[in-house]
Amino acid sequence: MDPLLSGSDYNQLRAFLAVGETLSFSRAAERLGVSPSALSQLVRGFEERVGVRLLNRTTRSVALTDAGENLFRRVQPAVSELGDAIGQVRRYRDRPSGTVRIHSFRAAAELYIEPMLAAFAQDFPDVVLDITLDDAVVDLVAGGFDAAIRIGEVIDRDMVAVRLGPDLRQIAVASPDYLDRHGRPEHPRDLVDHRCVRWRWPGHVMPYAWEFFENGSWFEVAVDGPLIFNDKDMALRATLRGLGIGFCVEDAVAGPVAAGELVPLLEGWSAAFPGRFLCYPRQRQMAPALRAFIDAVRAADAGTAGKTDARPAQEDGRRP
């Protein structure tokens, strides 16, 4: 069986269809933007390709043979439909439409996705945002996602990453009631003698080991305690209730700290690490819908100035 049409086969087929529609080599040549002699060669090559005469030519007229008429009737609607389909796809270039699948850490979605949803829906009514909120680190390509928002150190190096906001810092915090009952740790290693509210990365077996910075390097403390959560908000609420010392991103506890509900601890050992990034696979041609989403998220970043250049993600090996 012959293979599907090659590029040259398709050009010859278009030439034949143009002549079949106009029954004139000169008018068909003008429509296709080629010379009549070039068009004649294309049609002759096509007839040799199929092994059947498709056109009867005289010096004054052109007519389809029976074989040519049969081929024209069967092929012309399909080629017309193909042209319409390609034209419809090209309209995606001019007006963003389709579905954009996004994976985001929960806290990042609250900061950068929720604020832009209403305006985005109004500006791009033909775009569907399919948003998955999950603190797990997933393979974007394997999961079928177009983009993700996560912290910089868990972004694959072959991704494009756009910074959103500043670097982050985690701090240990406790309620005044807990400190009255159990005392205050003076060094991170003192935490092993305290009741701590722990958190587990989704998909991991062991709870996250708290990380601190001293003498130019990071070190871990395997804390213990009565509670382990896979939800950071619930872990924070347990800390507010005095059930143990928590370990939280600083901006997540800014309100309770300012209100005196939580007391920062061990801040001298808490250093900054790469913050949140919008990341997506490298691609030659970006879908307009994805570009619209990226632009909207960047606009929602309250600290846009000086931080919006796309760049390869940087990793330092830490896990928050």
Side-chain angles (χ1 to χ4, degrees):
M1 179 181 293
D2 287 343
L4 296 175
L5 290 176
S6 66
S8 60
D9 291 336
Y10 182 69
N11 289 334
Q12 292 172 348
L13 176 60
R14 288 182 65 236
F16 162 71
L17 291 175
V19 175
E21 289 174 357
T22 61
L23 295 179
S24 167
F25 274 86
S26 60
R27 289 197 298 271
E30 183 178 354
R31 175 187 294 184
L32 297 178
V34 299
S35 67
S37 60
L39 179 63
S40 179
Q41 291 178 2
L42 285 170
V43 172
R44 187 176 297 109
F46 188 55
E47 288 177 320
E48 293 174 356
R49 171 78 167 84
V50 298
V52 177
R53 177 177 287 276
L54 302 173
L55 296 167
N56 287 322
R57 310 166 180 81
T58 69
T59 56
R60 294 186 178 183
S61 65
V62 177
L64 292 165
T65 65
D66 287 344
E69 180 74 25
N70 181 63
L71 180 63
F72 181 86
R73 290 180 182 277
R74 294 190 62 183
V75 172
Q76 196 276 337
V79 173
S80 178
E81 175 65 21
L82 177 61
D84 290 344
I86 293 174
Q88 186 173 6
V89 169
R90 283 176 175 163
R91 285 196 288 272
Y92 279 71
R93 174 185 59 194
D94 303 321
R95 178 169 180 165
S97 60
T99 299
V100 180
R101 297 194 65 222
I102 306 137
H103 186 279
S104 177
F105 285 6
R106 288 182 173 86
E110 293 175 4
L111 288 171
Y112 303 113
I113 296 181
E114 282 193 44
M116 49 73 75
L117 288 178
F120 189 91
Q122 181 175 352
D123 293 342
F124 305 102
D126 297 326
V127 176
V128 175
L129 298 181
D130 185 341
I131 303 168
T132 297
L133 302 183
D134 186 3
D135 289 331
V137 179
V138 302
D139 185 320
L140 291 190
V141 175
F145 294 101
D146 299 297
I149 303 179
R150 56 179 55 160
I151 57 173
E153 60 205 41
V154 294
I155 299 174
D156 293 337
R157 293 184 182 275
D158 59 351
M159 293 281 172
V160 175
V162 180
R163 177 181 286 276
L164 301 174
D167 285 348
L168 301 177
R169 191 172 77 132
Q170 291 194 120
I171 58 173
V173 290
S175 69
D177 175 65
Y178 175 89
L179 296 177
D180 288 342
R181 289 182 287 114
H182 298 280
R184 185 186 188 111
E186 300 299 328
H187 188 277
R189 292 187 178 88
D190 295 340
L191 290 168
V192 297
D193 298 321
H194 281 265
R195 298 168 66 83
C196 295
V197 178
R198 295 178 286 171
W199 178 79
R200 180 190 295 113
W201 275 93
H204 287 225
V205 175
M206 299 300 296
Y208 162 66
W210 295 7
E211 294 173 277
F212 297 93
F213 195 81
E214 186 176 43
N215 298 326
S217 61
W218 294 94
F219 67 96
E220 296 181 351
V221 177
V223 299
D224 201 355
L227 296 170
I228 301 172
F229 295 102
N230 69 346
D231 182 86
K232 292 182 178 179
D233 289 339
M234 187 170 288
L236 174 56
R237 290 194 293 271
T239 304
L240 284 164
R241 292 188 177 98
L243 300 178
I245 297 176
F247 197 53
C248 306
V249 174
E250 192 171 22
D251 61 9
V253 295
V257 168
E261 299 173 309
L262 290 175
V263 178
L265 306 170
L266 308 170
E267 291 187 87
W269 291 270
S270 297
F273 59 90
R276 301 178 180 101
F277 289 76
L278 171 64
C279 62
Y280 52 90
R282 296 186 182 277
Q283 48 202 282
R284 287 186 177 181
Q285 291 185 323
M286 179 178 293
L290 176 57
R291 169 51 62 192
F293 171 76
I294 292 171
D295 291 344
V297 170
R298 292 172 69 170
D301 178 6
T304 296
K307 300 195 291 286
T308 57
D309 292 336
R311 71 202 73 179
Q314 299 297 315
E315 298 181 355
D316 64 10
R318 291 188 63 244
R319 293 292 184 269

